[in-house]
């Protein structure tokens, strides 16, 4: 199995020439074995992402890229077709390429994608036809009724860590998570290094 690579701020800067992630409009990184691209949530102004031939297995990180117009993910490792629902709120998304992913081989693939992303003009480099739009609108995807959660709040995440009724430990943890959520990439990296040092000290 190929090693998965984390997309970092430094790698993005080396390709775009800027450390200001919020100003980037376009990013192309083909064949980099990228598996963790969670940092794209900070690309708030990005309009084009070309990440063909990597190891990306989920569409969830892209749900935060509200200005995204073109997303190229051919030849990655996306298996779950339901991940398409993470893109449903990207109103500006016009072109999507998921071909050569495991999910693209599933039955009724195009109708499923267009059912949730009716705004698309092109899917896998093929123009979306009026007939497809009508069929997709009436298509039954067979999914469960619950919607994909756009962003989990801090409180449920704290609860999942095993805390019951509110107490001092929970309040501290709540504050810590809220702080991390407010940081930029560099800030998170600093916190991560600090936490790693604390873990080593306590083992």
């Amino acid at each position: 199995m190929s090693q998965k690579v984390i997309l970092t701020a430094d790698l993005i800067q080396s390709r775009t020439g800027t450390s200001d992630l919020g100003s980037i409009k376009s990013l192309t990184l083909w064949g980099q074995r990228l598996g963790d691209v969670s940092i794209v949530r900070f690309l708030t102004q990005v309009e084009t992402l070309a990440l063909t031939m990597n190891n990306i297995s989920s569409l969830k990180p892209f749900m935060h890229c509200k200005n995204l117009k073109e997303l190229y993910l051919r030849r990655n490792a996306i298996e779950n077709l339901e991940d398409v629902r993470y893109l449903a709120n990207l109103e500006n998304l016009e072109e999507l390429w998921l071909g050569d992913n495991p999910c693209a081989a599933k039955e009724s693939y195009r109708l499923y994608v267009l059912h949730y992303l009716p705004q698309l003009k092109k899917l896998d480099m093929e123009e979306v036809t009026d007939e497809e739009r009508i069929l997709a609108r009436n298509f039954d995807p067979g999914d469960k009724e619950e919607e994909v959660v756009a962003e989990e709040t801090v409180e449920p995440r704290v609860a999942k860590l095993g805390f019951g009724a509110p107490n001092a430990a929970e309040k501290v943890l709540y504050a810590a998570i809220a702080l991390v959520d407010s940081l930029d990439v560099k800030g998170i990296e600093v916190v991560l290094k600090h936490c790693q040092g604390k873990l080593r000290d306590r083992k």
Side-chain angles (χ1 to χ4, degrees):
M1 181 181 295
S2 300
Q3 180 183 0
K4 290 187 178 182
V5 176
I6 298 175
L7 178 57
T8 64
D10 288 340
L11 180 54
I12 293 175
Q13 183 175 357
S14 71
R15 290 304 178 95
T16 63
T18 179
S19 60
D20 183 4
L21 300 183
S23 69
I24 294 170
K25 297 284 188 179
S26 178
L27 177 64
T28 299
L29 286 166
W30 287 30
Q32 301 293 311
R33 297 182 299 176
L34 297 173
D36 183 346
V37 294
S38 55
I39 195 174
V40 299
R41 66 180 296 164
F42 297 105
L43 305 180
T44 54
Q45 298 301 315
V46 73
E47 296 179 356
T48 301
L49 283 172
L51 302 173
T52 295
M53 294 186 293
N54 284 291
N55 292 328
I56 299 166
S57 60
S58 175
L59 295 175
K60 188 174 183 179
F62 305 101
M63 66 193 292
H64 305 283
C65 303
K66 302 300 184 182
N67 291 299
L68 195 60
K69 294 181 179 179
E70 301 175 15
L71 179 58
Y72 304 104
L73 293 171
R74 188 173 69 88
R75 293 182 63 182
N76 272 278
I78 301 165
E79 295 188 8
N80 190 354
L81 190 53
E82 291 185 0
D83 266 27
V84 167
R85 295 186 292 171
Y86 288 121
L87 309 180
N89 291 323
L90 303 184
E91 298 178 355
N92 297 313
L93 187 63
E94 297 180 348
E95 190 163 342
L96 176 64
W97 196 346
L98 290 177
D100 298 319
N101 279 275
C103 67
K106 296 187 177 181
E107 186 178 358
S108 302
Y109 157 71
R110 282 184 70 87
L111 290 180
Y112 187 99
V113 173
L114 294 174
H115 178 78
Y116 286 107
L117 307 177
Q119 74 275 26
L120 290 181
K121 295 181 178 179
K122 278 187 178 181
L123 175 58
D124 298 339
M125 300 304 291
E126 292 185 19
E127 297 281 351
V128 177
T129 66
D130 291 338
E131 181 180 2
E132 280 185 308
R133 293 187 192 283
I134 294 172
L135 291 173
R137 190 181 307 126
N138 298 309
F139 176 70
D140 179 7
D143 293 331
K144 296 178 181 179
E145 290 299 321
E146 65 267 18
E147 296 180 357
V148 173
V149 177
E151 183 69 23
E152 190 179 39
T153 59
V154 173
E155 292 89 343
R157 277 183 282 161
V158 172
K160 289 178 183 177
L161 294 175
F163 292 97
N167 53 43
E170 181 178 0
K171 290 178 181 178
V172 171
L173 189 55
Y174 178 96
I177 293 174
L179 173 62
V180 171
D181 281 347
S182 69
L183 296 175
D184 59 13
V185 176
K186 291 293 186 182
I188 292 174
E189 290 175 348
V190 171
V191 172
L192 179 59
K193 289 179 181 179
H194 177 75
C195 291
Q196 288 173 336
K198 287 295 183 180
L199 284 172
R200 285 193 298 268
D201 293 341
R202 297 188 181 187
K203 285 184 179 179

